[in-house]
Amino acid sequence: MSNTWVLVANSVEAKLYSTDELGAEMSRLREFGHPESREKGSALASDKPGKVQSGRGGHGMGDTSAPKDFEAERFAKELAQALDDGRATNAYQHLVLVAAPHFHGLLNSQLDKKTHAMVITNINKDFTSCNERDLQTHLKESA
């Protein structure tokens, strides 16, 4: 039997499970939360963008990435680090990533190459609100 980790995530929360087979019984290993991703953009930004005076008018200088995107990326890095640590300690042999489409891309971009090579299934859906029984069904259908 091989141990498979299943990460179910969106930009606000994630659950990490362990299973021997997709669709079989899973045990929850850990839950992650990132409430900052729920905040309004104005609450995350520390200050208004500066202004630059040029010629007759001025224009605002702002960060090209929204604060919510920054927080989602921070959460993706945190999750990727947990997955990298698990791989480095041989805690799992296979990895399944289940995430909301945009967040899935962020998560994939943060995984190290060795961890990325352990991914056997990618599911671009947000199943974070599913109970474990429904999640098992979705995984079995996707496998």
Side-chain angles (χ1 to χ4, degrees):
M1 278 191 226
S2 65
N3 185 26
T4 300
W5 275 12
V6 178
L7 180 71
V8 181
N10 62 27
S11 63
V12 177
E13 65 180 317
K15 297 172 188 159
L16 182 63
Y17 299 94
S18 178
T19 186
D20 290 326
E21 181 182 340
L22 283 186
E25 188 174 326
M26 300 186 301
S27 59
R28 189 177 304 179
L29 299 175
R30 187 170 171 196
E31 288 188 42
F32 301 83
H34 194 75
E36 294 85 353
S37 293
R38 284 194 183 163
E39 295 289 330
K40 289 185 177 181
S42 59
L44 294 170
S46 62
D47 203 355
K48 292 182 181 178
K51 296 262 185 199
V52 172
Q53 193 68 28
S54 62
R56 297 179 74 189
H59 64 278
M61 292 177 51
D63 190 347
T64 57
S65 65
K68 287 186 84 116
D69 292 338
F70 174 77
E71 289 302 328
E73 190 170 322
R74 280 183 54 194
F75 190 43
K77 284 180 185 177
E78 177 185 344
L79 295 174
Q81 185 62 56
L83 297 174
D84 292 344
D85 292 347
R87 178 204 41 84
T89 60
N90 296 316
Y92 63 92
Q93 286 74 47
H94 303 289
L95 181 59
V96 175
L97 299 178
V98 182
H102 175 72
F103 191 70
H104 201 131
L106 290 175
L107 186 57
N108 272 321
S109 72
Q110 297 301 322
L111 290 178
D112 112 337
K113 287 181 183 180
K114 291 179 182 176
T115 302
H116 199 277
M118 299 187 80
V119 176
I120 59 168
T121 304
N122 282 293
I123 301 172
N124 288 310
K125 297 201 177 187
D126 186 355
F127 288 143
T128 55
S129 61
C130 288
N131 63 41
E132 289 179 24
R133 179 175 287 149
D134 290 342
L135 180 58
Q136 288 171 7
T137 301
H138 290 307
L139 291 174
K140 193 170 201 168
E141 291 169 356
S142 299

